[in-house]
């Protein structure tokens, strides 16, 4: 299991930040590890909506995770869970109002499944690098 947590200050209102972050289709705009997002259930943000996210995999191989929005509480909380045969990712986005806008906290837990579970021991180092790149993207879109 690997975990990456980052908090990005934003000049956006909590409602604006929530609208952007709760629409999983936007993930590809700030996370360079995501190649594409296709919504397969619903339209935009919302509880129960489903997305297929293609990510850059290890060794250059792409991998698709099916994400489901499990919680969507405007304007403070979003929880999505993605899964495929190899990995499970649970991502929580928390938005906290501040005097100048809000803070957006992205908390992601990535777990290797089944036969690749031994990867959990080294997954943290790789996930930190991927997370740092995504944080830079978040800072740009939430400024």
């Amino acid at each position: 299991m690997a975990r990456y947590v980052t908090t990005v200050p934003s000049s956006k209102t909590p409602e604006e930040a929530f609208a952007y972050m709760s629409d999983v289709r936007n993930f590809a705009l700030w996370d360079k590890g995501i190649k594409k997002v296709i919504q397969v259930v619903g339209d935009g943000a919302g509880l129960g909506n489903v997305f297929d996210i293609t990510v850059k995999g290890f060794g250059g191989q792409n991998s698709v995770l099916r994400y489901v929005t499990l919680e969507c509480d405007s304007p403070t909380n979003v929880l999505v869970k993605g899964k495929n045969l190899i990995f499970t990712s649970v991502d929580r986005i928390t938005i906290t109002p501040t005097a100048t806008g809000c803070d957006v906290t992205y908390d992601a837990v990535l777990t290797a499944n089944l036969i690749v579970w031994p990867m959990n021991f080294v997954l943290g180092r790789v996930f930190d690098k991927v997370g740092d790149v995504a944080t830079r993207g978040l800072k740009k879109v939430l400024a």
Side-chain angles (χ1 to χ4, degrees), residues 2 4 57-58 110 119 122-132:
Y4 188 86
F58 300 106
L110 182 66
M119 286 181 64
V122 295
L123 203 52
R125 286 178 280 189
V126 174
F127 202 42
D128 284 345
K129 290 178 184 177
V130 171
D132 288 345

Side-chain angles (χ1 to χ4, degrees), residues 81-138:
K81 181 177 181 179
K83 189 172 184 175
N84 65 14
L85 191 60
I86 300 171
F87 293 108
T88 298
S89 181
V90 178
D91 305 28
R92 181 174 299 280
I93 301 159
T94 307
I95 299 166
T96 308
T98 65
T100 58
C102 65
D103 285 339
V104 176
T105 300
Y106 198 93
D107 185 344
V109 176
L110 182 66
T111 306
N113 301 329
L114 300 172
I115 61 172
V116 296
W117 71 266
M119 286 181 64
N120 283 315
F121 298 109
V122 295
L123 203 52
R125 286 178 280 189
V126 174
F127 202 42
D128 284 345
K129 290 178 184 177
V130 171
D132 288 345
V133 171
T135 295
R136 287 194 292 277
L138 268 179

Side-chain angles (χ1 to χ4, degrees), residues 6-104:
T6 187
T7 299
V8 175
S10 176
S11 59
K12 295 182 182 298
T13 67
E15 293 78 14
E16 290 170 328
F18 177 85
Y20 185 82
M21 295 301 297
S22 64
D23 189 342
V24 176
R25 296 174 300 180
N26 290 329
F27 285 21
L29 301 176
W30 54 266
D31 186 341
K32 290 184 179 182
I34 295 176
K35 304 285 275 178
K36 69 179 174 179
V37 178
I38 298 172
Q39 187 155 12
V40 294
V41 173
D43 183 23
L47 189 62
N49 287 355
V50 180
F51 305 83
D52 283 344
I53 296 182
T54 303
V55 297
K56 292 180 192 173
F58 300 106
Q61 298 292 330
N62 290 338
S63 182
V64 177
L65 286 92
R66 174 144 297 179
Y67 274 79
V68 177
T69 304
L70 300 175
E71 298 175 14
C72 193
D73 308 309
S74 180
T76 59
N77 174 60
V78 178
L79 180 69
V80 294
K81 181 177 181 179
K83 189 172 184 175
N84 65 14
L85 191 60
I86 300 171
F87 293 108
T88 298
S89 181
V90 178
D91 305 28
R92 181 174 299 280
I93 301 159
T94 307
I95 299 166
T96 308
T98 65
T100 58
C102 65
D103 285 339
V104 176

